[in-house]
Amino acid sequence: MIELWNVSRALGLVALLLLSVVLALGALHNTTLSRAATQALPRFVVVALHRNLALITVVFVALHVVAVLVTPYLPLRWYHLVVPGTASFNPWPVGLGAVALDLLLAVVISSSLRRYLSKRAWLVVHWSAYVCFPVAVAHAVANASFRGGTWWTLVVPLLATALVVASLIQRRAARRRPALPLAGRGRTDPVEARRAADHATGQQPTINPEARPPRP
């Protein structure tokens, strides 16, 4: 029984670590690091990595939930893991885990129904994953004190938190960099834009007779 309980904890910690990687990739989107990655790898590879890791995270969360339910050591039912505050056994860690699971389910369901949702609604639900993460960390840390914690039950949440915090700091630093000049943002002088277009197409520049300098 204890061995299966340890397996369920290991599955949960792996899911937490994978979730931190997914959130870090999402936070670093459209930053200098992501642009460097897209230069080294095709863009679809980076996008597929983010999506596949998210899918693997959901799989490990599902395995963690199943392992918790089938462990005879834990007198829990399925609704204890979905409805916070319904478990009388180890209520705080179980309640935190239920909140994290509900938020993750909201993200998964909204991603499946993305084509039917507005962009704003989808983004609001999708970014709730950053609320799910600290709740999941609190769930893992609270469970570390249950039945005696080992070093890896605390190191994994610390590593996951450090990764997400570092990615958010990097994203904020990228946003606070000075803005590009107008030309760098695609706003160029009309004359310069015309010259660039003529140069690109090989056409001769159009000369305005009125713009010719007066003869001496």
Side-chain angles (χ1 to χ4, degrees):
M1 292 188 298
I2 301 299
E3 290 76 11
L4 189 56
W5 158 244
N6 289 328
V7 169
S8 67
R9 295 173 75 179
L11 290 171
L13 291 174
V14 172
L16 180 62
L17 191 58
L18 288 173
L19 179 61
S20 68
V21 176
V22 173
L23 295 180
L25 290 175
L28 295 176
H29 180 64
N30 282 337
T31 61
T32 305
L33 292 178
S34 67
R35 296 188 189 101
T38 53
Q39 290 178 359
L41 297 172
R43 180 177 176 81
F44 74 90
V45 174
V46 179
V47 175
L49 177 63
H50 177 74
R51 292 179 178 176
N52 291 335
L53 283 178
L55 179 60
I56 295 173
T57 302
V58 173
V59 172
F60 270 90
V61 170
L63 292 175
H64 171 62
V65 171
V66 171
V68 168
L69 290 176
V70 300
T71 303
Y73 180 70
L74 303 176
L76 297 174
R77 299 293 182 265
W78 67 268
Y79 55 87
H80 294 153
L81 308 183
V82 180
V83 182
T86 57
S88 58
F89 175 81
N90 205 21
W92 277 105
V94 175
L96 291 171
V99 173
L101 180 60
D102 292 341
L103 291 173
L104 184 62
L105 287 176
V107 174
V108 173
I109 294 174
S110 65
S111 297
S112 302
L113 302 176
R114 183 177 180 179
R115 65 178 63 182
Y116 304 105
L117 300 175
S118 64
K119 184 177 180 180
R120 182 179 180 83
W122 178 81
L123 284 175
V124 170
V125 180
H126 193 74
W127 280 86
S128 65
Y130 288 94
V131 181
C132 170
F133 177 76
V135 178
V137 170
H139 167 69
V141 173
N143 267 326
S145 61
F146 178 69
R147 192 62 192 180
T150 57
W151 63 271
W152 54 272
T153 57
L154 292 175
V155 169
V156 172
L158 290 176
L159 288 176
T161 303
L163 179 60
V164 173
V165 170
S167 63
L168 291 175
I169 292 175
Q170 173 64 26
R171 181 180 181 87
R172 184 175 180 83
R175 284 189 171 185
R176 295 181 64 179
R177 289 172 183 170
L180 291 174
L182 294 180
R185 288 184 284 171
R187 299 180 180 180
T188 58
D189 183 81
V191 177
E192 295 295 334
R194 179 62 182 175
R195 290 177 182 175
D198 292 339
H199 179 74
T201 56
Q203 298 179 359
Q204 295 295 328
T206 303
I207 300 176
N208 187 359
E210 298 180 357
R212 292 178 179 177
R215 295 181 179 179

